[in-house]
Amino acid sequence: MKSPDVSTVFVVDDDADVRASIQGLLKSVGLRSQCFGTTQEFLRNKRPDEPGCLVLDVRLPGVNGLDFQHELADAGVRIPIVFITAHGDIPMTVRAMKSGAVEFLTKPFRDQDLLDAIHQALDRDRVARQRQAELAELRERYESLTAHEREVMGLVVSGMLNKQIASDLGTSEITVKIHRGHVMRKMHAESLAELVRMAGRLQLPSDNKT
């Protein structure tokens, strides 16, 4: 199994000296990196399924870094971005940060500022990946429910009592209790409040009957 600490910093800058300098800095603190001269090279690279971040120059041949940020978002590529530029201004910074950038550094920047931003970006990606994994596991649990159990779960999280659910579904209260017990066990829910939170994370409608 992979170590949870394994991560990669991707650097996209058309200046070879800048790429070499950043790669040397990252290596000196034990961070693995891959460098590219263009956004096209970065896209052609198959990225490992592990935490990572992107150190991205704003001015690049072809598409600029800010436009590339939007292209990645539109394509569903969620990778934290640290922008670097020799030609930054306030509108550019605001645009980048509003679109989710972790940091916007103007060259020349201090090595420690870049490292701090990169660590923050990697931490953000680790948290996002953990949440995605937990949500995927939650979806698997929900998929294991039968149609009747999902129906009961939807009514339970809407706040209905067992006898109300039984009346609504035209069944007995004992049958509802059995289905409810199965739901709690399969969803690994210790309480009704926890089951409601799970339904919220799954974005189930409170009156779900499917």
Side-chain angles (χ1 to χ4, degrees), residues 2-4 6 18 35 47 52-53 56 61 75 80 85 122-123 125 152 169 181 193 198 203:
K2 291 181 181 178
S3 164
V6 172
V18 171
C35 293
R47 294 183 298 280
C53 71
L56 181 62
T85 182
L122 291 174
D123 287 343
D125 199 40
V152 169
L169 298 181
M198 290 176 175
Q203 296 184 323

Side-chain angles (χ1 to χ4, degrees), residues 12 105 122 170:
V12 179
L105 300 174
L122 291 174

Side-chain angles (χ1 to χ4, degrees), residues 132-148:
Q132 289 171 356
E134 291 172 355
L135 184 57
E137 183 180 345
L138 200 56
R139 286 198 182 105
E140 284 186 11
R141 295 179 197 170
Y142 183 71
E143 292 297 323
S144 74
L145 301 180
T146 66
H148 288 307

Side-chain angles (χ1 to χ4, degrees), residues 166-185:
S167 176
D168 190 80
L169 298 181
T171 187
S172 68
E173 191 172 346
I174 188 64
T175 299
V176 171
K177 287 182 179 179
I178 290 171
H179 284 318
R180 183 169 179 159
H182 290 168
V183 168
M184 299 295 284
R185 177 176 56 80

Side-chain angles (χ1 to χ4, degrees), residues 24-199:
L25 172 65
L26 296 174
K27 185 176 181 180
S28 72
V29 295
L31 286 172
R32 188 172 60 184
S33 64
Q34 294 182 26
C35 293
F36 309 93
T38 67
T39 56
Q40 290 79 10
E41 290 177 16
F42 170 74
L43 289 175
R44 285 195 296 267
N45 176 67
K46 183 174 175 59
R47 294 183 298 280
D49 184 17
E50 63 194 26
C53 71
L54 176 59
V55 177
L56 181 62
D57 191 12
V58 172
R59 291 198 173 181
L60 293 165
V63 62
N64 67 52
L66 294 172
D67 289 338
F68 188 58
Q69 179 186 29
H70 284 283
E71 288 184 9
L72 290 176
D74 290 344
V77 178
R78 308 299 179 191
I79 182 169
I81 297 175
V82 175
F83 278 105
I84 55 175
T85 182
H87 310 281
D89 56 33
I90 292 176
M92 199 180 290
T93 304
V94 170
R95 178 183 170 188
M97 300 304 286
K98 278 188 173 180
S99 297
V102 174
E103 186 57 275
F104 193 100
L105 300 174
T106 302
K107 302 173 185 175
F109 43 76
R110 295 191 314 126
D111 287 351
Q112 191 58 51
D113 288 340
L114 178 60
L115 290 174
D116 288 346
I118 286 172
H119 283 298
Q120 183 181 346
L122 291 174
D123 287 343
R124 182 184 292 187
D125 199 40
R126 288 188 189 98
V127 170
R129 286 172 174 272
Q130 179 63 29
R131 287 176 178 166
Q132 289 171 356
E134 291 172 355
L135 184 57
E137 183 180 345
L138 200 56
R139 286 198 182 105
E140 284 186 11
R141 295 179 197 170
Y142 183 71
E143 292 297 323
S144 74
L145 301 180
T146 66
H148 288 307
E149 288 165 355
R150 291 184 198 177
E151 197 170 32
V152 169
M153 177 176 170
L155 296 174
V156 166
V157 299
S158 75
M160 293 176 66
L161 302 175
N162 288 345
K163 61 181 179 181
Q164 295 172 317
I165 296 172
S167 176
D168 190 80
L169 298 181
T171 187
S172 68
E173 191 172 346
I174 188 64
T175 299
V176 171
K177 287 182 179 179
I178 290 171
H179 284 318
R180 183 169 179 159
H182 290 168
V183 168
M184 299 295 284
R185 177 176 56 80
K186 290 182 179 180
M187 294 300 295
H188 299 181
E190 298 293 331
S191 65
L192 174 58
E194 187 176 3
L195 190 66
V196 171
R197 285 194 294 271
M198 290 176 175

